Amino acid sequence: MYTEAVMDHFRNPRNVGSMENADGVGQVGNPKCGDIMKIYLKINDETIEDVKFETFGCGSAIASSSMATELIKGKSINEAVELTNKAVVEALGGLPPVKVHCSVLAEQAVKSALFDYAQKTGKVIKGLENYEPIDDDDIHCH
Amino acid sequence: MSKKFYLDNAATTRVKKEVIDEMLKYFDEKYGNPSSQLYELGRRSKEAIDNARKIVADFINADEKEIYFTAGGSESDNWALKGVAFANFNKGKNHIITTKIEHHAVLHTCEYLEKFGVKTTYLDVDKYGMIDLEQLKEAITPETMLISIMFANNEIGTIQPIEQIGEIAKEHGVLLHVDAVQAMGAVKIDVKKQHIDLLSMSAHKLGGPKGIGGMFIRKGVKIDNLIHGGGQERGKRAGTEGVQNIVGFAKAVELASKDFDAHVKKLTSLRNKFIEGIKNNIPDVILNGHPTMRLPNNVNFSYKYVEGESILLLLDMDGISASSGSACTSGSLDPSHVLLATGLDHGTAHGSIRFTIGEETTEEDISFVVQTMKGIVERLRMMSPIKNDEDLYKK
């Protein structure tokens, strides 16, 4: 059902945990749908120095979060904001069609954390000018 | 290869050795068509079916003329509902009463029949998965043609008070259909005492082969055919009989009836140890289903703040097979309709795992699985952004 890469990131998730004094925190999803992702960013000089994640969800949700953190770690915030769900899926060697929403959630979690950072610091991140945090009440599962 | 722990016996069971041995003869040795009565080979097959029918009938205290073989539980459920509905069309009766926790073979058939004007009442269940007999009585109208209620639930194991339901149905002159697929071999079924008019059965939940089941139809019940064609099964169910499957089904039933009480007692004791083990070792769990009126093999818990598919994947790494009520494992958007009907919130329902023990399960297996579960749940909770009920229930 899952690729080797998905199973690897599920079994040995990278960057798992929470972070004190994070510069940006983003949480997306809700328990109703069965997946929640929370991403913590440590940003220094516009670079993502450290990233952590916490996820409630299925194997592909955990693997997608883990992969997303790997893809943005050490990158500039401008590079990180360009992370797409497609990149996450490709890096994982593919996801079953019903699980693609997990990668979408991972992309949204990263954007949400970057937006939080932008809000806190008053910085403008290219690509997030019109970002609107998703209202949980509007979420329809997948 | 490391040890495997198969704890999904409600999904299906290993076919028993004695069953396989019995079945094999009907592939290359006694392969005659039971309809071919003019020669020996055909007659032997017919005899085998007659014998099987007697065994299945005795098991549920029915007459052998009231047993019909089908391709399984789903066909039997479809037949009961569609057959009764079609037999009642244009006769002023168009109402079916069922429950919110039935198998999809019943629920989706009801939805289908609604397109033809059938009206369905879906009875609620309480937090243990029990129906309310008063609500059942109140739901009956002069238009009611059928009550369809499962004997025992496949997910949470709750056993309904079928005898009392049967009395209510009889009193009101309404037919009672019971899906006994999970109850077979675990609960005493007596169609006379329990006033059952139609009963769905399946072989593969009690050590028989897949693709074969049966239906009890009480003599005199008006029901249309589902499968039209030849005159097999006394003109009620067409298609050349799967003789090897039928004898396999009967053998499984025979074995189940032989050590019924001892088997149920052993499983119940193991189940209770399993339930206690989970409760005592893992915090923040909810037992799904009834504490005592439950199938002797069923252990279903919700593990708060974690999701079921992740648990299953980690269990599989330790060779443990189970199933989950999480949406992620079903391909649908919502978690189990059964768990939601018992009042669980979506988040908690996503974290439910069903273990169903079997004949081969040992006490050591259970200790191992409990400890493994403890580790898995701790690990996933560490990773989860949901740490408490406040996180879980907030909008």
Side-chain angles (χ1 to χ4, degrees):
Chain A
M1 174 173 176
Y2 288 134
T3 63
E4 276 299 315
V6 172
M7 286 311 290
D8 176 39
H9 276 263
F10 170 67
R11 284 192 205 114
N12 311 296
R14 285 42 151 194
N15 310 309
V16 67
S18 61
M19 188 189 286
E20 275 180 41
N21 305 317
D23 297 310
V25 181
Q27 180 170 320
V28 294
N30 72 21
K32 189 170 186 291
C33 301
D35 354 62
I36 302 174
M37 285 182 200
K38 191 170 188 178
I39 288 198
Y40 303 83
L41 301 173
K42 186 95 212 143
I43 296 170
N44 203 352
D45 201 15
E46 308 246 314
T47 299
I48 296 172
E49 269 193 347
D50 197 12
V51 50
K52 293 277 182 211
F53 83 87
E54 290 181 306
T55 289
F56 163 89
C58 56
S60 61
I62 289 169
S64 294
S65 328
S66 169
M67 183 55 87
T69 59
E70 282 285 273
L71 291 174
I72 62 166
K73 201 172 181 179
K75 299 278 167 64
S76 73
I77 54 175
N78 288 321
E79 285 171 310
V81 80
E82 283 176 5
L83 176 79
T84 61
N85 83 293
K86 204 162 159 268
V88 174
V89 175
E90 274 168 17
L92 288 171
L95 281 176
V98 293
K99 302 288 188 183
V100 170
H101 73 273
C102 294
S103 64
V104 174
L105 220 51
E107 177 194 319
Q108 287 171 349
V110 169
K111 288 201 165 70
S112 170
L114 286 168
F115 180 73
D116 181 53
Y117 167 74
Q119 291 284 93
K120 281 178 183 161
T121 56
K123 288 187 176 143
V124 176
I125 300 177
K126 203 169 160 259
L128 285 184
E129 300 91 341
N130 301 316
Y131 181 84
E132 284 193 29
I134 300 159
D135 185 347
D136 268 359
D137 289 340
D138 288 341
I139 287 184
H140 298 286
C141 297
H142 328 320
Chain B
M1 208 163 72
S2 59
K3 186 169 170 166
K4 296 286 179 199
F5 303 85
Y6 182 73
L7 296 172
D8 203 11
N9 285 280
T12 196
T13 55
R14 181 206 292 274
V15 180
K16 287 178 182 165
K17 176 79 171 60
E18 299 92 319
V19 171
I20 298 170
D21 289 345
E22 191 66 26
M23 288 175 71
L24 285 176
K25 300 177 212 161
Y26 292 87
F27 285 98
D28 60 351
E29 202 181 306
K30 306 183 180 183
Y31 56 85
N33 188 322
S35 296
S36 305
Q37 285 298 293
L38 294 176
Y39 50 83
E40 176 78 14
L41 204 57
R43 285 195 294 273
R44 290 292 89 84
S45 289
K46 175 74 164 50
E47 279 165 24
I49 295 177
D50 290 345
N51 181 47
R53 204 184 306 281
K54 175 91 174 67
I55 291 168
V56 173
D58 287 348
F59 191 60
I60 60 170
N61 193 23
D63 188 276
E64 54 200 271
K65 290 200 184 70
E66 297 171 317
I67 302 296
Y68 301 87
F69 292 110
T70 67
S74 289
E75 184 192 321
S76 298
D77 285 344
N78 270 264
W79 186 10
L81 294 159
K82 291 176 189 167
V84 169
F86 285 121
N88 278 283
F89 273 171
N90 308 318
K91 289 188 184 143
K93 286 192 187 283
N94 66 346
H95 181 225
I96 294 175
I97 300 171
T98 186
T99 78
K100 288 182 177 165
I101 62 164
E102 295 303 305
H103 191 272
H104 284 132
V106 167
L107 293 178
H108 290 166
T109 303
C110 286
E111 280 169 31
Y112 169 76
L113 287 169
E114 283 163 18
K115 292 200 284 192
F116 297 89
V118 168
K119 296 194 164 50
T120 318
T121 300
Y122 299 93
L123 300 176
D124 297 319
V125 294
D126 66 14
K127 66 174 178 172
Y128 300 122
M130 279 286 182
I131 68 152
D132 175 357
L133 295 174
E134 289 309 311
Q135 197 195 11
L136 169 63
K137 283 183 203 164
E138 283 162 22
I140 299 172
T141 72
E143 284 79 43
T144 308
M145 55 187 167
L146 183 69
I147 296 168
S148 177
I149 294 178
M150 67 198 334
F151 212 125
N153 185 268
N154 49 318
E155 291 186 35
I156 58 176
T158 301
I159 299 167
Q160 302 296 338
I162 290 296
E163 193 171 336
Q164 286 164 273
I165 293 168
E167 279 163 10
I168 293 168
K170 196 182 169 201
E171 211 172 284
H172 290 80
V174 177
L175 294 176
L176 173 63
H177 165 245
V178 173
D179 176 341
V181 168
Q182 291 292 338
M184 288 268 293
V187 182
K188 280 262 194 290
I189 302 172
D190 183 328
V191 293
K192 291 196 177 79
K193 190 166 164 237
Q194 291 152 350
H195 309 291
I196 296 167
D197 297 297
L198 302 136
L199 186 95
S200 297
M201 297 175 271
S202 173
H204 74 104
K205 313 286 190 188
L206 73 163
K210 295 163 188 68
I212 181 76
M215 177 122 99
F216 155 78
I217 304 176
R218 179 178 298 290
K219 198 165 170 271
V221 166
K222 298 262 185 301
I223 180 165
D224 277 14
N225 288 359
L226 182 70
I227 311 284
H228 301 268
Q232 291 88 354
E233 297 296 282
R234 295 182 307 290
K236 280 194 161 344
R237 201 278 185 182
T240 298
E241 302 87 338
V243 185
Q244 72 287 345
N245 290 339
I246 292 171
V247 297
F249 178 19
K251 191 70 194 177
V253 166
E254 189 187 305
L255 293 170
S257 68
K258 219 175 255 174
D259 62 352
F260 188 92
D261 293 334
H263 173 73
V264 168
K265 202 175 155 199
K266 181 190 151 197
L267 252 53
T268 305
S269 159
L270 283 175
R271 177 202 72 191
N272 292 345
K273 287 200 174 88
F274 204 156
I275 289 175
E276 285 310 304
I278 295 284
K279 271 189 190 163
N280 294 338
N281 285 282
I282 307 176
D284 299 314
V285 297
I286 298 168
L287 177 69
N288 294 311
H290 197 279
T292 54
M293 290 296 287
R294 73 186 296 132
L295 287 172
N297 69 353
N298 180 293
V299 178
N300 186 326
F301 277 96
S302 289
Y303 304 84
K304 286 181 169 182
Y305 326 134
V306 293
E307 193 278 329
E309 192 214 68
S310 295
I311 298 176
L312 291 185
L313 289 170
L314 291 171
L315 282 172
D316 182 49
M317 284 165 59
D318 279 310
I320 301 165
S321 309
S323 73
S324 168
S326 167
C328 297
T329 61
S330 68
S332 74
L333 304 182
D334 281 318
S336 144
H337 67 285
V338 176
L339 296 173
L340 295 181
T342 64
L344 279 194
D345 62 281
H346 279 67
T348 305
H350 281 297
S352 74
I353 298 291
R354 177 191 71 184
F355 293 105
T356 38
I357 58 176
E359 209 155 68
E360 296 163 13
T361 311
T362 66
E363 224 173 305
E364 291 73 46
D365 292 353
I366 288 171
S367 303
F368 175 76
V369 173
V370 167
Q371 287 312 313
T372 307
M373 272 303 281
K374 183 176 154 73
I376 287 173
V377 173
E378 275 172 10
R379 175 179 168 170
L380 290 173
R381 279 181 180 163
M382 292 265 292
M383 291 169 65
S384 176
I386 309 177
K387 303 293 185 197
N388 50 46
D389 283 354
E390 206 180 307
D391 292 341
L392 183 63
Y393 300 136
K394 82 175 174 201
K395 284 280 263 178

